[in-house]
Amino acid sequence: MESTPREARREIRDHLPELVYQYLRYIKRKRAWVTSTEILKHFNLGRRESLVVQELLEIKERGPKELLKPENLIRTPIFVLQVRERWNSYTRTNFSEFLVERNLYYRPD
């Protein structure tokens, strides 16, 4: 069952770090290169690649500033360590791939 567009956007905006954390646990990896398409397909959220890419880029930018406060360590589900552009020869487009790592100290509320 696919979410409605409004529900999917809200889910991505409000819960993307937790979704990526769950995805990494599902694939049994502490750290992995992931794409927006993998996350969207896994959670059946439709085709909102640009929104996922934008949110992951924001997480990468905020990361070091958020972790200056030690109390934020247990509230941060993932770290976005690197971003790289890749070429998809089938669609003939570039896409972003993110190196994300689960935070082992994360404690969901």
Side-chain angles (χ1 to χ4, degrees), residues 39-61:
I39 302 299
L40 292 169
K41 280 184 182 179
H42 181 74
F43 293 101
N44 202 17
L45 293 172
R47 300 183 49 90
R48 285 152 195 87
E49 289 89 358
S50 61
L51 183 58
V52 172
V53 167
Q54 178 184 352
E55 292 291 325
L56 288 172
L57 287 172
E58 287 178 15
I59 291 169
K60 183 179 184 325
E61 291 298 316

Side-chain angles (χ1 to χ4, degrees), residues 56-82:
L56 288 172
L57 287 172
E58 287 178 15
I59 291 169
K60 183 179 184 325
E61 291 298 316
R62 291 195 307 262
K65 291 175 243 164
E66 281 185 351
L67 294 178
L68 289 175
K69 297 178 184 173
E71 64 271 7
N72 285 345
L73 184 60
I74 61 170
R75 295 184 192 136
T76 304
I78 61 165
F79 305 111
V80 179
L81 305 174
Q82 288 182 339

Side-chain angles (χ1 to χ4, degrees), residues 6-22:
R6 179 174 284 159
E7 290 170 344
R9 279 193 299 275
R10 186 178 315 116
E11 189 71 17
I12 291 166
R13 227 178 281 115
D14 297 343
H15 302 290
L16 183 64
E18 291 86 3
L19 295 176
V20 175
Y21 181 87
Q22 290 173 19

Side-chain angles (χ1 to χ4, degrees), residues 23-24 27 29-34 98-102:
Y23 179 72
L24 289 173
I27 62 171
R29 301 286 305 271
K30 178 184 168 199
R31 179 187 294 175
W33 286 99
V34 299
F98 297 88
L99 180 61
V100 293
E101 182 175 341
R102 279 190 300 140

